[in-house]
Amino acid sequence: MAATTPVSSATGGRGAGARRRTRNAKTDGAVLSRVKEFTRLLDRPLTSYYLLVGSSVLLIVLGLVMVLSSSMVDSYTETGSAFSLFLKQAVAALIGIPLMLLASRLPPRTLRLLGGPLLLVSIVLLVITTFRGVEYYGATRWLNIGGITVQASEPAKLAFALWGANLLARKEELRELTEWRHLLVPLLPVCGILVLLVLMGSDLGTSFVLMAVLVALLWIIGAPGRLFFGVVGLVGLLVAIMIAVEPYRLKRLTAFLNPEADPFNSGYQLLHGLYALGTGGLLGVGIGASREKWGHLPHPESDFIFAIIGEEFGLLGTLLVIGLFGVLGYSGLRVAARTTDPFVRLSAVAITTWICVQAMVNIGTVIGVLPVTGIPLPFVSAGGSSLIPTMLGMGVLLALARNEPAARSALSARGPTYPQRALSWLGLGNSAGRTAPGADRAPKTRPTQVQARRNRRR
Amino acid sequence: MPRNRTGASAGRRPHPAPSIRSPLRRRFRRGAIQPRIRVMGAILGTVLLLFAARLVQIQGFNADDYAEAAASLRLTTIEIPTVRGDITDMAGRPFAMSVEVRTVFLDPAEVRDDQREEIVQELSRRFDLPPEEIVAKLNARVDGRPSRYEVVQRGVPIEEWKEIRELGFHGVSAERDYKRVYPEETGAANLVGFVGLDGHGLEGLEAVLDSTLAGEAGQQQVEVGSDGTQIPMAGGLIREPVPGRTVRLTLDLDLQWYAQQALNRRVEELDAEAGSVVVMTRDGQIRAMANYPTYDPNNFSAVSAEQRRNGAVADAFEPGSTAKVITVAAALEEGLVTPDTVFTVPSSIRRYDQVFRDANPHPTQRLTVNGIMATSSNVGAIQIGEKVGAEKMYEYLRRFGVGQPTGLDLPGENTGILTAPEHWSGTDLPSVSFGHSVSVNAVQLASVYATIANDGVRVAPTLIAGMEDADGEFEAAPDPESERVISADTAADLRLMLEAVTEETGTAPQARVEGYRVGGKTGTANRINPETGKYQGGGYVSSFVGFAPADDPELVVSVVLHSPKGEYYGGEAATPVFTDVMSFALKTARIPPTQTERPPLRLME
């Protein structure tokens, strides 16, 4: 690491200097000093922002590559073109990119307005899906709108995260969060409705993610610990009810424990996922060279794309993906830790939880530690309904990262960018409606060119 | 759920008394934020680390087990077809050859709807198949799913497949295969045989030489998708295919064809049941082996077993007069007679309960051994045979190859019957003396005359000249066994006697070939009726065996006709075929015409 990296930052070089002195007194190991250098590198105003951009862009690119690789066989057999599914995914990504960029430039004030309408639309779509949905593979999760199949439960996760964060933040600002009812109403009932609607489509994975978002929101707002025992009990009860209604679910729920027991039915997909991972070994069989995608592993491009990554890129590839989600989660939590704005904190945690839990459920399924639920790997799995809301959510998270106090001052030191100018002209910009514009800047003086250049380097 | 109940109560009582607070109205203490974020980070980190550990387990420690189990599901071994060796004549012209062809098949699951109609039309037109059949193949289902492999036509020429391929139909494919082709009218079907649909020999040389011709199919290990699609870039070659070896026969394609034609003509003319022609060099190499009835091996399924017989080795018959040479050879070789020894030959002679007659009644003659042969006297032959005796007779028959396997190792060979002399009854020695009570096949008979032609050394008949590798390296067949049966002088004496047969005074003056001295012998024997097992109603076996040029013989031709109607004496029935084939054979082999004259022979006292 570059030992000459200037350390002085807007967050206060004095504190860092003090830490360095005390640590130097305790240790003399070179390793520790390396670690220190590293933490110092992380300790920069735009770290969260760039880590989020980096990890999500890498995941999206990897996703596009892997969707092409894993879907080409099935696409060719079904449509005669190896690219048909990939092109759909590419179109979804092309829609998602501007949405992500736009969202990343929106101020929190605007983002707070998004949750409610989005939630309403999601609920309406979910209700329609329940009655009018298209059934694939025994689950009614898809809605056919003008030839495009949409999975309404995907945007619902983003909607719930934003809406829930906004709700609790408002209550926090109104200092209402002293009683249980303000904490739980209407958050809990709405979540219940969503979970119920999602479960109508037999989507256990998504309902689990929704509940995880709920738990994360409550956790971060500071709800007492015993509440979480209650939630765990509630989830257990729900699962028990689900199983009581359709007993086959228990078998599906426990099939993952021993896929070899029923290698042709319940254990089939899982077993072939493990085969793919094992075939990949340490370094993989090479990009595009997966064998399991040749009709052995069902849906290699969606729920089990992680297995194909493991087959083509080996342990190296799977650990990289795990690492990328780890970085993403770390950065999301870092945003939450560094802000004072309750909405920013809540929504950052909610979105991070959503993406990370979904990734964990998906990966956990593939590696055989969780039951098969049928949930896409965020950014990577094929499916526009999943990719676009995820990218939008990432855009929101980026906007929040830019809103970290230190980041905000670092960014404003660069001066407004063209999109910011366009947004402010539309009345949506960061400083548009602010009573004290430029509160975080040096109030009187514009940054000199030297300062601006230095700041840009960060 | 408590939430609902208390929620409702909260609605009904907007201002509850502080003393009875609903659980939702209770205040709670907020937890600190930063530690909670750290807890979340810790959970995230722990879970991801656990996942990473599990991945190390799957992809590191247990990877081989999973990979092996997966591979065992995907790996299959496919055979790489190899080309079967040809069967050629001595100059390399093919009797049987393999050509690379394509098996055109449909993958109905791949066929596009907009091309369906076109595919049905094109394939039905091109292969002359009913359109319904192709539609049925397109709709074929296996286990409820569209079939992936429906053969439309086998043996499609490569050129034709290229034309189909250029039409760009999805789901119409072809795979490499080899088709066995028998050039038309080689006339060697009964000898060469044919291969079955699986490409292995079923009949004739194709069956006998299968291990040599077939080669070894290569093996390739491939990984396949769940529907059997071969996965590219996976698997590998296990064994290179070994092409089969070409077998070069001693046959001459032109001669074979000609012999077949000549035989066909004569058999049909005389309405005979069957017949065979064998052309042999003096050292036992078979130049032609024609049979009647024959068939087209390209369409073997429509052929009866009777047609497929290789009668030249499969049919044994009593040789009749043609075997008298063995009697005379034994007598000469043993020094019991000379060609000029005179016998008193009546028209008939009685032995025990049986009267043996000459073919035509005649007054008692004083005939030399030459004369006995030239006139084909049964009575004379019996007298010579009785001088030889049963033991010696048997010994010479054996040494000439009678009753012994020919060594050609052809399917269905009938080695004939030669019983040991201790089992002979009183009438057997006389019978055997003029070629009855023993049986031979046509190749054995030709071999007897080849021995005489070869100055008394019998060379076992051969059919296979050698094998040729795919890279053209020729390996000659091992030399056949040879054995001196009679002295060269005896052989020369016999040749002169046999030459006399084809003269005006002999029994087969028609056997002469312009420009060459020819020796030979007619044979006419009662044929055992295959239905009753008796001579009655069995007809005759007419034969002629001869060699040319008589002064230095090169070729032996034997002609056997079973049950000809009308002219049944060998001289009349079989000789024209002999003349025909022999003159063609001499020309084909470019044997110069004879320059010498036959020395005069004394036939009578």
Side-chain angles (χ1 to χ4, degrees), chain B residues 31-32 66 78-79 118 136 194 210 215 261 266 360 389 402 410 518 527 565:
Chain B
Y66 288 120
I78 57 167
E79 286 212 335
E118 221 181 317
F194 51 84
D210 199 49
Q261 297 306 306
R266 190 63 178 159
N360 298 306
V402 175
L410 287 170
V518 173
R527 184 165 168 263
K565 308 293 181 296

Side-chain angles (χ1 to χ4, degrees), chain B residues 322-571:
Chain B
T322 49
K324 285 173 187 162
V325 285
I326 300 171
T327 313
V328 175
L332 288 173
E333 185 69 17
E334 295 294 317
L336 301 169
V337 294
T338 66
D340 291 331
T341 306
V342 177
F343 286 84
T344 305
V345 182
S347 187
S348 66
I349 193 170
R350 186 182 182 91
R351 289 291 180 267
Y352 299 95
D353 59 339
Q354 206 170 337
V355 177
F356 298 95
R357 289 186 176 81
D358 277 344
N360 298 306
H362 59 82
T364 302
Q365 290 169 313
R366 295 278 286 166
L367 292 174
T368 60
V369 173
N370 291 325
I372 289 170
M373 281 295 283
T375 57
S376 194
S377 167
N378 295 342
V379 175
I382 290 167
Q383 289 175 317
I384 299 169
E386 284 172 342
K387 270 184 176 288
V388 174
E391 290 294 334
K392 283 290 169 197
M393 196 66 215
Y394 173 78
E395 189 194 321
Y396 277 92
L397 282 165
R398 262 190 73 95
R399 290 171 67 189
F400 270 106
V402 175
Q404 308 299 309
T406 57
L408 296 179
D409 209 12
L410 287 170
E413 176 172 327
N414 188 335
T415 53
I417 296 162
L418 174 63
T419 46
E422 55 265 33
H423 301 299
W424 287 4
S425 69
T427 57
D428 273 342
L429 178 61
S431 286
V432 168
S433 300
F434 67 102
H436 284 70
S437 295
V438 295
S439 64
V440 294
N441 62 43
V443 171
Q444 285 170 335
L445 187 58
S447 177
V448 171
Y449 281 73
T451 308
I452 294 164
N454 198 31
D455 291 332
V457 177
R458 181 180 185 269
V459 183
T462 51
L463 193 55
I464 292 162
M467 320 282 183
E468 206 176 307
D469 282 338
D471 44 13
E473 202 161 309
F474 182 74
E475 184 198 326
D479 284 337
E481 285 175 39
S482 62
E483 183 197 356
R484 177 164 291 282
V485 182
I486 48 175
S487 68
D489 289 344
T490 306
D493 287 342
L494 284 168
R495 286 204 296 271
L496 288 176
M497 286 178 208
L498 290 168
E499 204 180 341
V501 172
T502 66
E503 314 235 315
E504 289 305 327
T505 47
T507 52
Q510 314 95 306
R512 278 187 291 182
V513 175
E514 196 60 48
Y516 295 90
R517 284 168 61 187
V518 173
K521 186 77 196 79
T522 57
T524 309
N526 292 311
R527 184 165 168 263
I528 292 167
N529 188 339
E531 282 159 32
T532 58
K534 292 181 175 151
Y535 286 121
Q536 195 69 39
Y540 293 87
V541 177
S542 289
S543 54
F544 189 93
V545 200
F547 47 80
D551 56 334
D552 183 18
E554 296 274 356
L555 293 169
V556 174
V557 174
S558 85
V559 178
V560 181
L561 297 178
H562 292 266
S563 215
K565 308 293 181 296
E567 308 171 64
Y568 53 73
Y569 282 101

Side-chain angles (χ1 to χ4, degrees), chain A residues 278-421:
Chain A
T279 305
L282 293 178
L283 296 173
V285 295
I287 186 164
S290 160
R291 274 81 151 136
E292 285 292 330
K293 71 183 178 189
W294 288 81
H296 291 295
L297 178 65
H299 313 305
E301 75 286 344
S302 57
D303 300 346
F304 270 67
I305 198 163
F306 187 73
I308 302 295
I309 294 174
E311 190 178 6
E312 297 195 349
F313 297 113
L315 184 62
L316 203 68
T318 50
L319 289 186
L320 178 79
V321 172
I322 296 261
L324 286 175
F325 279 109
V327 167
L328 200 149
Y330 164 78
S331 318
L333 293 177
R334 190 175 185 275
V335 172
R338 293 184 161 230
T339 189
T340 47
D341 182 340
F343 170 74
V344 171
R345 183 189 304 129
L346 284 165
S347 51
V349 164
I351 291 171
T352 307
T353 305
W354 155 38
I355 291 175
C356 288
V357 167
Q358 186 167 331
M360 289 193 282
V361 170
N362 176 280
I363 294 172
T365 299
V366 174
I367 63 178
V369 298
L370 292 176
V372 179
T373 46
I375 193 169
L377 187 61
F379 299 114
V380 181
S381 287
S385 312
S386 165
L387 184 64
I388 293 171
T390 313
M391 286 175 80
L392 190 59
M394 183 47 62
V396 172
L397 198 51
L398 288 173
L400 303 176
R402 292 165 67 91
N403 203 60
E404 275 179 26
R408 206 157 55 198
S409 55
L411 284 170
S412 57
R414 293 178 181 180
T417 57
Y418 286 108
Q420 276 174 328
R421 281 186 206 164

Side-chain angles (χ1 to χ4, degrees), chain A residues 61-408:
Chain A
V61 171
L62 178 74
L64 284 172
V65 171
M66 291 317 296
V67 165
L68 174 58
S69 169
S70 56
S71 72
M72 56 199 312
V73 174
D74 287 346
S75 286
Y76 184 78
T77 0
E78 276 155 33
T79 65
S81 160
F83 299 97
S84 53
L85 207 144
F86 168 73
L87 286 178
K88 276 191 194 173
Q89 183 75 357
V91 166
L94 285 179
I95 296 171
I97 286 167
L99 282 176
M100 183 170 152
L101 285 176
L102 181 72
S104 71
R105 304 286 159 157
L106 292 176
R109 190 177 53 83
T110 318
L111 295 174
R112 292 180 76 150
L113 303 176
L114 277 176
L118 207 54
L119 185 69
L120 212 67
V121 171
S122 298
I123 289 178
V124 170
L125 285 178
L126 278 171
V127 170
I128 298 174
T129 305
T130 310
F131 295 105
R132 280 274 158 102
V134 192
E135 190 176 317
Y136 292 117
Y137 323 115
T140 316
R141 298 178 197 170
W142 291 269
L143 195 58
N144 201 330
I145 306 173
I148 304 164
T149 44
V150 174
Q151 200 171 353
S153 57
E154 293 297 332
K157 286 178 279 196
L158 172 64
F160 179 68
L162 282 180
W163 174 81
N166 182 36
L167 178 82
L168 290 180
R170 204 177 62 234
K171 288 183 185 253
E172 174 85 326
E173 281 150 8
L174 296 173
R175 310 212 173 277
E176 284 181 348
L177 284 178
T178 50
E179 292 180 6
W180 283 97
R181 62 171 176 161
H182 288 297
L183 189 65
L184 298 180
V185 184
L187 194 64
L188 200 57
V190 167
C191 182
I193 288 167
L194 277 176
V195 167
L196 208 65
L197 285 170
V198 166
L199 283 182
M200 299 283 244
S202 321
D203 196 344
L204 216 58
T206 302
S207 48
F208 182 74
V209 171
L210 283 168
M211 286 188 277
V213 171
L214 173 75
V215 169
L217 284 170
L218 293 175
W219 178 257
I220 287 303
I221 203 67
R226 57 197 145 107
L227 178 71
F228 299 96
F229 293 108
V231 170
V232 169
L234 196 70
V235 170
L237 190 71
L238 270 175
V239 170
I241 290 170
M242 298 272 304
I243 290 167
V245 171
E246 286 187 67
Y248 80 92
R249 286 184 175 126
L250 179 66
K251 237 166 95 185
R252 271 181 61 180
L253 215 58
T254 52
F256 79 95
L257 294 171
N258 188 11
E260 281 95 347
D262 192 5
F264 298 111
N265 294 306
S266 60
Y268 181 83
Q269 195 175 21
L270 184 51
L271 203 56
H272 279 274
L274 293 175
Y275 286 168
L277 289 171
T279 305
L282 293 178
L283 296 173
V285 295
I287 186 164
S290 160
R291 274 81 151 136
E292 285 292 330
K293 71 183 178 189
W294 288 81
H296 291 295
L297 178 65
H299 313 305
E301 75 286 344
S302 57
D303 300 346
F304 270 67
I305 198 163
F306 187 73
I308 302 295
I309 294 174
E311 190 178 6
E312 297 195 349
F313 297 113
L315 184 62
L316 203 68
T318 50
L319 289 186
L320 178 79
V321 172
I322 296 261
L324 286 175
F325 279 109
V327 167
L328 200 149
Y330 164 78
S331 318
L333 293 177
R334 190 175 185 275
V335 172
R338 293 184 161 230
T339 189
T340 47
D341 182 340
F343 170 74
V344 171
R345 183 189 304 129
L346 284 165
S347 51
V349 164
I351 291 171
T352 307
T353 305
W354 155 38
I355 291 175
C356 288
V357 167
Q358 186 167 331
M360 289 193 282
V361 170
N362 176 280
I363 294 172
T365 299
V366 174
I367 63 178
V369 298
L370 292 176
V372 179
T373 46
I375 193 169
L377 187 61
F379 299 114
V380 181
S381 287
S385 312
S386 165
L387 184 64
I388 293 171
T390 313
M391 286 175 80
L392 190 59
M394 183 47 62
V396 172
L397 198 51
L398 288 173
L400 303 176
R402 292 165 67 91
N403 203 60
E404 275 179 26
R408 206 157 55 198

Side-chain angles (χ1 to χ4, degrees), chain A residues 181 221 223 295-296 318 367, chain B residues 24-25 30 36 54 59 224:
Chain A
R181 62 171 176 161
I221 203 67
H296 291 295
T318 50
I367 63 178
Chain B
L24 281 179
R25 296 250 161 172
R30 302 272 294 273
R36 288 204 162 186
R54 167 75 172 150
Q59 300 196 273
V224 292

